[in-house]
Amino acid sequence: MAVSPFDGITLALSKGRIFEDTVPLLRAAGIVPLADPESSRQLILPTNRPDVRLVIVRASDVPTYVQYGAADMGVAGKDVLLEHGGEGLYQPLDLCIARCRLMVAVPQGFDYARAIQRGARLRVATKYASTARDHFAQKGVHVDLIKLYGSMELAPLTGLADVIVDLVSSGNTLKANQLEAVEEIAAISARLVLNVAAWKLNRSRMAPILEAFSKGVAASG
Ligand code: ATP
Ligand code: MG
């Protein structure tokens, strides 16, 4: 079966906070989605501009769509980009949205400093296995990584792991589960990402969007 041709710019976004926070930047670029991904089942959303469409994918799939050129550009959290590795992508713009921190969190009262000094292995549960592995390797801490896909907070409470690596914004979810953040791995915000080849071939159409996003970010202070 042939893929229907689309001769415009395809932008990959995830539902939820990334979509909501990107809509004002799109508007600044003169782009208005013609459907709402929360209520529509459509995964390809047309916009007011016939030469621009949106594709709605899982947050962690955005870099993959852009890397392989299925989308020309996308919006992805730095957490997702760190874990992906960034191959085939340009990351020209920090959109300063979806801000939070990637952190190590432990049960309240857990002696983290001692745990990482002992030379014993630390059991770490996380969705960010590659980033966590790099972080603890840099510190010279031996870890057993346990890959999870959500609700990381449950892991230390059930004895699955000693600590977790997860995103933290207010800290309320940690607190509600008797956990506390003890170490920052990275400050996180969403980035505009571009497919390297698309940027070379289609720069004249992509540059104005990048430019408008850039002005929109500056204007939102
Ligand atoms: P999925 O629901 O598909 O598993 P997800 O839970 O990662 O994906 P979101 O919760 O929408 O999807 O998160 C998308 C991005 O928003 C994350 O990759 C991260 O960069 C950022 N983010 C996640 N949680 C927060 C938060 N509490 N505050 C601010 N930004 C966040
Ligand atoms: Mg989430």
Side-chain angles (χ1 to χ4, degrees):
M1 205 185 78
V3 175
S4 65
F6 179 70
D7 180 35
I9 297 301
T10 299
L11 183 95
L13 289 175
S14 55
K15 282 204 263 194
R17 79 185 88 232
I18 296 275
F19 183 84
E20 282 155 26
D21 292 358
T22 303
V23 163
L25 296 170
L26 286 169
R27 202 182 302 119
I31 299 164
V32 181
L34 296 182
D36 175 1
E38 298 302 335
S39 55
S40 168
R41 289 171 191 238
Q42 276 181 283
L43 298 176
I44 300 181
L45 303 186
T47 72
N48 64 319
R49 279 178 44 177
D51 63 332
V52 180
R53 67 177 183 176
L54 311 180
V55 292
I56 304 300
V57 303
R58 285 292 286 267
S60 47
D61 290 337
V62 168
T64 308
Y65 273 81
V66 178
Q67 172 187 2
Y68 291 103
D72 302 292
M73 48 209 299
V75 176
K78 188 71 190 174
D79 52 327
V80 162
L81 291 165
L82 286 170
E83 192 64 18
H84 170 273
E87 201 192 329
L89 306 176
Y90 283 141
Q91 300 181 32
L93 184 62
D94 183 348
L95 298 175
C96 300
I97 59 174
R99 300 177 87 134
C100 53
R101 297 189 294 163
L102 186 65
M103 302 202 69
V104 180
V106 306
Q108 286 166 11
F110 179 88
D111 193 346
Y112 179 62
R114 186 144 169 257
I116 62 175
Q117 270 170 13
R118 271 202 310 249
R121 296 183 78 85
L122 195 66
R123 293 172 309 150
V124 182
T126 186
K127 184 163 135 181
Y128 304 100
S130 165
T131 311
R133 183 177 289 112
D134 289 352
H135 174 74
F136 288 108
Q138 256 182 30
K139 293 170 65 77
V141 177
H142 296 289
V143 293
D144 289 318
L145 280 157
I146 300 166
K147 167 82 183 178
L148 291 178
Y149 293 88
S151 301
M152 264 75 81
E153 301 83 8
L154 191 57
L157 306 180
T158 53
L160 179 62
D162 304 309
V163 312
I164 62 173
V165 167
D166 198 6
L167 298 176
V168 180
S169 47
S170 68
N172 287 339
T173 307
L174 291 180
K175 206 177 294 170
N177 291 290
Q178 296 84 50
L179 302 173
E180 60 186 355
V182 289
E183 190 166 77
E184 175 167 322
I185 297 178
I188 302 297
S189 56
R191 312 297 161 106
L192 185 69
V193 295
L194 309 178
N195 173 275
V196 170
W199 178 245
K200 287 188 181 132
L201 287 169
N202 253 330
R203 195 171 180 144
S204 61
R205 285 207 281 192
M206 291 165 71
I209 301 176
L210 170 58
E211 183 73 10
F213 270 46
S214 172
K215 283 189 183 142
V217 173
S220 67

